[in-house]
């Protein structure tokens, strides 16, 4: 049997709490004001009569046209289980109940309306707390949080250079699509209640604060409201969720994402339905993303991620086209390459030395297929493609800077990190002192930089230790490959013996991928603990520090094996009769096709394998989790079929969705992919193509997750993509060095060029040129001679050819790096980071903001006659708008709530 109970309260509370002594519990003292319950509406603001008649002081300009819910808190209770609990669990349950009640009371003290709904379904009970903020509370916190609100509407400034080019050429643009309900653009500035009439739409309280602004205000209150002693960390909704006091906290979606009727007009669609119809559907894979709609519904942080993902995917198109062309050139060159033909037709001319102590001698011609495969990637076109990709990465980042600056301006967050962003509640609660903010002039919580530096250095030691663990795993994989190659070579099967090195390498790549996924999970939790301990002031700084730690680890985790194959494998082998060993096992050497083809295989296994695993997880895991959530919440009578939407409240429908887990994993996946595409592109020209195909799927997959499968996240503001842009720039510079060394030391490009210039222009005899003969002592011990790949004399010493090639290789690295870096620097100077048009618009916006907020006696007198109901609130704000106490929500002045302080 399902029953529903509702308990609603929208009690006005006092504003300024008294600061208690350090040892006291920092709760807010309140005056209890009895409010008549209204069971017919949920989460609405209290009427002016309910606020003890303080209609004018509350700033009410008219009640909303319909009640609305700004935020939902949920907790579950198992009544049957509660009867069987022991004393310890019962004490914990009672503690959670006390914390929950204190938290809700303090939310009422902050001026929020709290409406409780209880859904009982058999032995289980689900409690929904519906929160909403009255108009005056929204005004107060909008100023306290330095929210930007519109001053003057602008024409839509969204531009696309490709669309303009196609229009100029008269070519239809199939990528563009007219999406209804385009959000308007504005000049904006920080909200000031005393200048309310200067802001657009201030005469309509229902629409003045958008849903995303309301969510930001509510979440700011929830994040700082205490439920116990502040210094013990007993504050904020995040801590309550971690403790299990609440099971979920989320803003509501704008109704269902599917339209009730297929013929529904575009004008009648909600924002969520528009995003589903024009963005999250699979058949929209080739359409441009409606970024303004995404930003309007999910906030700037989510919109910037999709802007970056779409921008990066678009730039992958030319890289994939050129890479595919280079690969096709390699396909045609396989059958016309003279050294490859010589090797495949050599029969028993080249008998090779054993690959291990007890392995047999083998014929070089048996590796014909491997050498042919290596020629697909290792040819002259690879040099051109490596230089192309280095310049491609530089141009991509330079143009992204311009696009990021344009979006930040258009979305009103150009100065978010410097001016608008407030200290993290966790930082404010733990900071030992306060200091004056030199930019805002406000007294804010402060943590000494010297102390933070010591903590960062201590955390760095832990990071180094985890990197050492990854290197140990790499060494174990190296030993595994060597031992596996030996075991496979000892088999009587000729085919398996010839492919022993390749089989060992492939299975080692799979084992390496398993190690990567396991270690990643462990380190993520450790990095989060270290970052919290370092005491970063703002959420942006916290996320940047966390991102850097995890990326350093993941870089070593994902790239250690490819780096080993590219630059170390086969370099320290020795020669017959004097082989070098590691822990008693002979060092690995490159197969007949060279290490480049093995590197390409490693890249495809890790990069493509990880992409397939991630996409399968993102498709199947959410479906399974969503099914289980619905199965668990719905009654036994209805668990065989979905509940009808008409019989389900919106907060119940949203609670059945999955919690939003943020963007970190999405960014990490794309940045690691960017590294594979650029750092090792000389070994695998097809990497951009695989990345492009994956990203086309990734965009719509992520869009469906946000629109259809996940609860609506709190709209977060962001100025850019954070430290990820610096990481991408570092990868682009590393890619130049990496590809230079790949071409010089791993590829056959320079040995072929040297042979062509000094021996034979048609490369006849090149295979024999690259092979050395075993020393006489080794040949005498085995009664036969053999060959091995190296530039050595008969006594095992390096030949003059080796030293000549070494000088050429080093010179090539220097020239390649200097040419690419010089061109990159010139491009950096020629392409400004911020477009000139944006700089002009920013100056114009600052001018309008200054004009709108300037003290003008004539206008103040006029506005004073119209806005007398806000005079009391302005006086209160003038004297009490200070930084809130650590760990608690900003107090609402008594003029807002209509109740005097108990002090």
């Amino acid at each position: 049997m399902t029953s529903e109970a509702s308990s609603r309260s929208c009690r006005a509370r006092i504003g300024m709490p008294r600061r208690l002594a350090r040892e006291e519990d920092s709760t807010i003292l309140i005056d209890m004001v009895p409010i008549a319950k209204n069971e017919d509406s949920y989460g609405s603001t209290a009427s002016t009569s309910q606020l003890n008649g303080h209609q004018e002081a509350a700033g009410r300009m008219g009640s909303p046209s319909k009640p609305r819910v700004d935020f939902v808190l949920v907790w579950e209770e198992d009544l049957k289980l509660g009867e069987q609990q022991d004393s310890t669990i019962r004490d914990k349950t009672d503690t959670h109940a006390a914390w929950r009640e204190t938290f809700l009371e303090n939310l009422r003290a902050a001026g929020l309306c709290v409406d409780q709904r209880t859904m009982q379904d058999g032995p289980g009970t689900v409690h929904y707390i519906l929160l909403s903020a009255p108009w005056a509370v929204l005004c107060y916190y909008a100023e306290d949080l330095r929210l930007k609100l519109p001053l003057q509407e602008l024409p839509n400034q969204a531009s696309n250079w490709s669309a303009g080019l196609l229009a100029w050429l008269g070519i239809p643009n199939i990528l563009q699509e007219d999406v209804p309900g385009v959000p308007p653009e504005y000049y904006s500035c920080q909200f000031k209640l005393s200048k309310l009439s200067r802001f657009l739409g201030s005469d309509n309280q229902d629409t003045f604060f958008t849903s995303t602004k309301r969510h930001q205000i509510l979440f700011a209150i929830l994040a700082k409201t205490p439920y116990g002693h502040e210094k013990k960390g007993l504050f904020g909704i995040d801590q309550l969720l971690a403790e299990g006091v609440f099971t979920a906290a989320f803003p509501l979606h704008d109704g269902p994402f599917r339209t009730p009727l297929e013929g529904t007009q575009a004008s009648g669609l909600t924002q969520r339905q528009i995003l589903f119809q024009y963005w999250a559907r699979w058949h929209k894979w080739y359409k441009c993303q409606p970024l303004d709609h995404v930003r309007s519904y999910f906030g700037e942080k989510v919109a910037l991620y999709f802007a970056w993902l779409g921008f990066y995917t678009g730039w992958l198109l030319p890289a994939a086209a050129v890479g595919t062309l280079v690969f096709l050139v390699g396909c045609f060159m396989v059958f016309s390459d003279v050294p490859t033909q010589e090797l495949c037709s050599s029969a028993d001319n080249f008998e090779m030395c054993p690959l291990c102590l007890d392995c047999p001698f083998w014929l070089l011609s048996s590796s014909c297929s491997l050498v042919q495969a290596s020629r697909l990637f290792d040819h002259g076109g690879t040099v051109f493609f490596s230089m192309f990709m280095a310049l491609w990465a530089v141009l991509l980042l330079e143009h992204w800077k311009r696009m990021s600056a344009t979006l930040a301006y258009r979305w009103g967050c150009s100065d978010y990190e410097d001016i608008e962003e407030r200290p993290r509640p966790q930082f404010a609660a733990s900071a030992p002192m306060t200091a004056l903010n030199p930019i805002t002039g406000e007294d804010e919580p402060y943590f000494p930089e010297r102390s933070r530096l010591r903590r960062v250095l201590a955390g760095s030691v832990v990071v180094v230790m985890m990197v050492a663990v990854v290197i140990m795993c790499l060494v174990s994989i190296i030993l595994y490959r060597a031992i596996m190659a030996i075991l496979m070579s000892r088999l009587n099967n000729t085919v398996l013996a010839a492919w022993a090195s390749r089989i060992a390498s492939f299975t080692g790549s799979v084992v390496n991928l398993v190690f990567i996924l396991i270690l990643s999970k462990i380190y993520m939790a450790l990095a989060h603990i270290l970052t919290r301990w370092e005491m970063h002031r703002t959420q942006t700084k916290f996320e940047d520090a966390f991102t850097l730690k995890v990326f350093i680890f993941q870089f070593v985790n994902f790239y250690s094996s490819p780096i080993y194959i590219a630059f170390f494998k086969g370099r320290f082998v020795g020669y017959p009769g004097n082989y070098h060993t590691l822990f008693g096992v002979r060092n690995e050497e490159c197969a007949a096709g060279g290490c480049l083809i093995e590197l390409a295989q490693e890249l495809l296994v890790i990069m493509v394998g990880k992409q397939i695993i991630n996409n399968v997880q993102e498709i199947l895991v959410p479906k399974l989790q969503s099914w289980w959530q619905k199965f668990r919440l719905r009654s036994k009578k209805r668990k065989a079929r979905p509940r009808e939407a008409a019989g389900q409240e919106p907060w119940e429908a949203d609670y059945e969705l999955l919690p939003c887990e943020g963007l970190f994993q999405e960014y990490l996946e794309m940045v690691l992919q960017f590294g594979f595409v650029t750092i090792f592109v000389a070994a695998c020209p097809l990497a951009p193509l695989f990345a492009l195909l994956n990203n086309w799927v990734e965009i719509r997959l992520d869009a469906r997750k946000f629109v259809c499968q996940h609860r609506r996240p709190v709209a977060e503001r962001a100025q850019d993509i954070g430290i990820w842009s610096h990481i991408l720039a570092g990868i682009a510079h590393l890619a130049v060095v990496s590809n230079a060394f790949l071409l010089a030391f791993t590829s056959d490009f320079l040995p072929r060029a040297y042979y062509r210039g000094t021996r034979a222009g048609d490369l006849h005899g090149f295979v024999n040129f690259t092979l050395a003969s075993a020393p006489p002592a080794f040949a005498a011990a085995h009664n036969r001679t053999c060959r091995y790949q190296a530039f050595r004399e008969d006594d095992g010493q390096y030949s003059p050819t080796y030293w000549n090639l070494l000088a050429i290789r080093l010179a090539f690295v220097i020239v390649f790096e200097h040419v690419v870096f010089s061109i990159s620097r010139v491009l950096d100077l020629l392409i400004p980071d911020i477009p000139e048009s944006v700089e002009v618009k920013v100056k114009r916006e600052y001018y309008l903001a200054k004009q709108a907020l300037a003290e003008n006696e004539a206008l103040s007198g006029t506005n004073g006659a119209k806005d007398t109901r806000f005079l009391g609130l302005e006086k209160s704000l003038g004297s009490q708008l200070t930084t809130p106490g650590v760990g608690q929500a900003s107090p609402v002045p008594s003029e807002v709530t209509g109740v005097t302080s108990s002090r």
Side-chain angles (χ1 to χ4, degrees):
M1 179 177 180
T2 302
S3 64
E4 178 177 346
S6 174
S7 174
R8 177 181 176 276
S9 64
C10 185
R11 302 173 183 173
R13 294 291 183 254
I14 67 159
M16 298 296 290
R18 61 183 179 92
R19 179 63 58 87
L20 301 180
R22 181 179 294 268
E23 65 274 6
E24 296 181 8
D25 187 16
S26 300
T27 55
I28 299 177
L29 302 181
I30 57 176
D31 281 337
M32 304 298 293
V33 181
I35 302 296
K37 293 183 179 180
N38 183 359
E39 301 293 344
D40 297 330
S41 63
Y42 58 88
S44 62
T45 58
S47 65
T48 51
S49 60
Q50 289 174 326
L51 290 177
N52 280 347
H54 292 267
Q55 179 177 6
E56 299 302 324
R60 175 70 57 185
M61 292 185 292
S63 60
S65 57
K66 63 177 181 177
R68 65 190 302 171
V69 176
D70 294 319
F71 225 91
V72 179
L73 307 180
V74 186
W75 87 88
E76 298 183 28
E77 185 179 11
D78 193 335
L79 301 178
K80 186 176 181 181
L81 183 62
E83 301 173 356
Q84 305 171 356
Q85 291 177 347
D86 57 27
S87 59
T88 304
I89 299 178
R90 191 177 299 110
D91 290 343
K92 182 179 180 181
T93 303
D94 294 341
T95 301
H96 285 185
W99 284 352
R100 191 159 44 237
E101 184 60 30
T102 303
F103 186 74
L104 295 178
E105 285 299 319
N106 288 340
L107 289 181
R108 296 185 185 100
L112 298 187
C113 299
V114 180
D115 179 12
Q116 181 171 337
R117 297 295 178 95
T118 301
M119 299 297 299
Q120 185 171 349
D121 193 3
T125 302
V126 182
H127 302 271
Y128 298 93
I129 305 297
L130 313 180
L131 304 176
S132 60
W135 164 255
V137 174
L138 292 173
C139 290
Y140 173 77
Y141 282 101
E143 184 167 7
D144 185 45
L145 296 173
R146 306 174 187 146
L147 295 185
K148 278 191 170 183
L149 293 172
L151 286 172
Q152 176 181 330
E153 187 169 353
L154 295 171
N156 191 279
Q157 304 172 74
S159 60
N160 189 320
W161 66 270
S162 60
L165 178 62
L166 292 175
W168 182 72
L169 295 175
I171 301 175
N173 188 0
I174 62 172
L175 304 180
Q176 288 292 113
E177 185 176 23
D178 292 330
V179 182
V182 178
E185 295 186 16
Y186 307 98
Y187 283 127
S188 60
C189 73
Q190 289 186 23
F191 178 73
K192 289 288 185 182
L193 186 59
S194 60
K195 310 297 180 184
L196 178 65
S197 60
R198 310 283 182 87
F199 291 92
L200 284 181
S202 59
D203 56 343
N204 188 341
Q205 73 166 55
D206 289 341
T207 59
F208 182 63
F209 290 103
T210 62
S211 61
T212 54
K213 297 295 184 187
R214 298 174 72 98
H215 298 162
Q216 290 170 4
I217 292 173
L218 266 291
F219 185 75
I221 298 173
L222 291 171
K224 294 186 288 188
T225 300
Y227 57 89
H229 201 296
E230 299 165 6
K231 292 302 179 182
K232 295 180 180 179
L234 302 181
F235 69 92
I237 187 62
D238 291 333
Q239 187 64 25
L240 289 172
L241 290 172
E243 294 284 351
V245 179
F246 291 102
T247 57
F250 53 90
L252 288 179
H253 275 294
D254 287 353
F257 62 88
R258 296 187 186 276
T259 55
L261 298 174
E262 291 295 330
T264 304
Q265 297 295 324
S267 58
L269 298 178
T270 65
Q271 284 186 317
R272 189 184 186 193
Q273 291 168 345
I274 290 175
L275 288 174
F276 175 71
Q277 293 284 346
Y278 295 91
W279 182 46
R281 287 193 166 184
W282 291 110
H283 68 269
K284 300 290 184 179
W285 64 270
Y286 63 96
K287 297 291 185 181
C288 293
Q289 300 183 87
L291 293 178
D292 288 333
H293 295 74
V294 177
R295 176 249 177 175
S296 176
Y297 192 73
F298 291 112
E300 288 81 6
K301 180 173 285 189
V302 173
L304 280 170
Y305 163 71
F306 282 102
W308 152 251
L309 181 56
F311 181 85
Y312 168 51
T313 303
W315 274 72
L316 278 173
L317 192 59
V322 176
T324 304
L325 181 62
V326 171
F327 177 76
L328 294 177
V329 170
C331 293
F332 286 111
M333 292 180 63
V334 166
F335 303 103
S336 60
D337 184 62
V338 174
T340 303
Q341 292 176 343
E342 283 187 352
L343 186 147
C344 292
S345 61
S346 62
D348 57 355
N349 292 339
F350 302 110
E351 188 177 38
M352 306 300 291
C353 297
L355 297 174
C356 62
L357 182 62
D358 299 325
C359 296
F361 292 82
W362 57 286
L363 296 177
L364 183 62
S365 59
S366 63
S367 63
C368 175
S369 57
L370 293 178
V371 174
Q372 289 177 335
S374 69
R375 294 306 300 161
L376 297 175
F377 306 103
D378 190 3
H379 54 84
T382 306
V383 180
F384 159 76
F385 187 58
S386 298
M387 184 172 293
F388 170 83
M389 287 301 295
L391 298 179
W392 172 87
V394 172
L395 286 173
L396 180 147
L397 295 179
E398 289 300 320
H399 281 83
W400 168 249
K401 290 178 186 177
R402 294 170 60 84
M403 181 176 179
S404 178
T406 303
L407 292 177
Y409 162 72
R410 289 184 52 225
W411 294 342
C413 49
S414 299
D415 52 2
Y416 171 71
E417 294 179 13
D418 295 331
I419 298 177
E420 298 177 51
E421 192 170 18
R422 304 302 299 269
R424 297 171 58 242
Q426 295 82 358
F427 172 83
S430 304
M433 63 185 72
T434 60
L436 192 68
N437 187 320
I439 297 177
T440 63
E442 295 184 3
D443 201 36
E444 293 185 351
Y446 177 75
F447 190 79
E449 289 296 328
R450 187 183 298 272
S451 300
R452 179 181 293 112
L453 179 60
R454 285 198 294 265
R455 295 191 178 193
V456 170
L457 292 177
S460 301
V461 175
V462 180
V463 175
V464 172
M465 292 175 59
M466 290 301 299
V467 169
V469 172
V470 175
I471 296 176
M472 290 171 59
C473 293
L474 174 63
V475 173
S476 65
I477 292 172
I478 293 172
L479 294 175
Y480 164 82
R481 280 199 292 242
I483 295 172
M484 180 61 68
I486 293 173
L487 296 177
M488 296 291 293
S489 300
R490 290 177 178 177
L491 298 176
N492 295 327
N493 192 313
T494 307
V495 177
L496 291 179
W499 283 77
S501 177
R502 191 66 59 223
I503 294 174
S505 176
F506 178 79
T507 55
S509 300
V510 175
V511 173
N512 183 46
L513 179 60
V514 174
F515 272 128
I516 286 172
L517 297 177
I518 294 176
L519 290 174
S520 298
K521 298 294 184 182
I522 298 174
Y523 184 74
M524 287 281 288
L526 181 60
H528 203 273
I529 295 173
L530 288 174
T531 309
R532 285 204 308 267
W533 181 61
E534 290 171 358
M535 289 290 293
H536 295 280
R537 175 180 169 272
T538 64
Q539 186 65 24
T540 299
K541 297 293 184 184
F542 176 88
E543 292 176 355
D544 287 349
F546 175 76
T547 298
L548 184 61
K549 285 185 185 62
V550 176
F551 180 78
I552 291 174
F553 173 80
Q554 296 286 33
F555 180 88
V556 179
N557 203 4
F558 277 91
Y559 297 144
S560 56
S561 183
I563 288 174
Y564 163 74
I565 295 173
F567 304 116
F568 297 100
K569 186 176 181 180
R571 309 294 174 195
F572 312 102
V573 177
Y575 55 90
N578 187 27
Y579 286 114
H580 300 158
T581 61
L582 177 66
F583 300 115
V585 179
R586 177 176 154 184
N587 289 346
E588 287 185 295
E589 58 181 306
C590 298
C595 281
L596 205 65
I597 182 62
E598 190 172 340
L599 176 60
Q601 172 190 286
E602 183 82 1
L603 292 177
L604 292 177
V605 169
I606 295 179
M607 176 182 169
V608 179
K610 184 175 182 298
Q611 289 177 349
I612 293 175
I613 291 174
N614 286 345
N615 287 336
V616 170
Q617 285 180 339
E618 292 183 10
I619 293 175
L620 295 182
V621 174
K623 288 184 179 297
L624 294 175
Q625 290 177 336
S626 179
W627 173 84
W628 172 248
Q629 180 82 337
K630 293 176 181 179
F631 175 83
R632 188 175 60 85
L633 292 176
R634 292 175 178 178
S635 63
K636 294 181 180 180
K637 293 181 180 180
R638 298 180 178 179
K639 63 183 179 182
R641 71 179 190 275
R643 181 180 297 185
E644 297 297 330
Q648 193 176 28
E649 298 289 356
W651 49 86
E652 294 180 78
D654 283 9
Y655 184 51
E656 290 181 351
L657 301 177
L658 301 177
C660 185
E661 298 177 349
L663 296 169
F664 176 80
Q665 289 294 343
E666 311 297 338
Y667 271 119
L668 181 63
E669 180 183 353
M670 289 299 104
V671 172
L672 289 174
Q673 182 200 89
F674 180 80
F676 284 120
V677 167
T678 54
I679 296 177
F680 305 107
V681 73
C684 188
L686 290 178
L689 176 63
F690 287 115
L692 176 65
L693 296 176
N694 173 80
N695 290 5
W696 270 335
V697 176
E698 186 74 21
I699 290 176
R700 305 304 159 181
L701 195 59
D702 289 346
R704 290 186 72 87
K705 284 197 307 184
F706 275 92
V707 174
C708 308
Q709 298 173 345
H710 285 185
R711 298 167 193 155
R712 187 175 183 177
V714 178
E716 296 183 68
R717 290 177 61 75
Q719 187 169 323
D720 47 38
I721 62 174
I723 201 172
W724 291 114
S725 58
H726 301 290
I727 292 175
L728 291 168
I731 290 176
H733 284 80
L734 180 61
V736 177
V737 180
S738 172
N739 284 294
F741 277 93
L742 271 176
L743 294 172
F745 290 92
T746 309
S747 169
D748 278 344
F749 170 71
L750 290 181
R752 285 171 175 253
Y754 176 80
Y755 185 83
R756 187 180 283 111
T758 58
R759 301 289 200 281
D762 57 1
L763 292 179
H764 281 289
F766 177 75
V767 175
N768 185 63
F769 171 72
T770 60
L771 300 177
S773 299
F778 182 86
H782 292 80
N783 294 322
R784 61 200 300 183
T785 186
C786 61
R787 309 293 294 274
Y788 63 101
Q789 289 185 325
F791 294 101
R792 292 179 181 268
E793 302 289 357
D794 289 344
D795 58 356
Q797 300 300 315
Y798 287 117
S799 65
T801 300
Y802 170 83
W803 298 108
N804 292 338
L805 273 174
L806 180 61
I808 293 173
R809 283 167 168 162
L810 292 176
F812 175 84
V813 170
I814 295 173
V815 171
F816 185 91
E817 289 179 356
H818 279 68
V819 169
V820 174
F821 281 136
S822 298
I823 298 176
S824 301
R825 181 58 180 166
V826 171
L827 293 174
D828 188 15
L829 294 175
L830 292 177
I831 303 175
D833 293 344
I834 302 176
E836 183 179 356
S837 59
V838 172
E839 290 182 342
V840 173
K841 292 173 182 176
V842 168
K843 294 177 182 178
R844 169 67 175 168
E845 181 169 341
Y846 278 128
Y847 171 77
L848 288 176
K850 185 177 179 180
Q851 290 293 106
L853 300 180
E855 292 294 335
N856 188 303
E857 293 183 1
L859 289 177
S860 296
T862 305
N863 291 335
K866 293 188 293 184
D867 295 330
T868 55
R869 55 186 173 277
F870 285 102
L871 290 179
L873 185 56
E874 290 181 24
K875 292 177 182 178
S876 175
L877 287 172
S879 60
Q880 300 189 43
L881 184 55
T882 57
T883 301
V886 291
Q888 53 189 47
S890 300
V892 182
S894 58
E895 286 84 354
V896 175
T897 60
V899 179
T900 58
S901 171
S902 61
R903 274 195 296 171

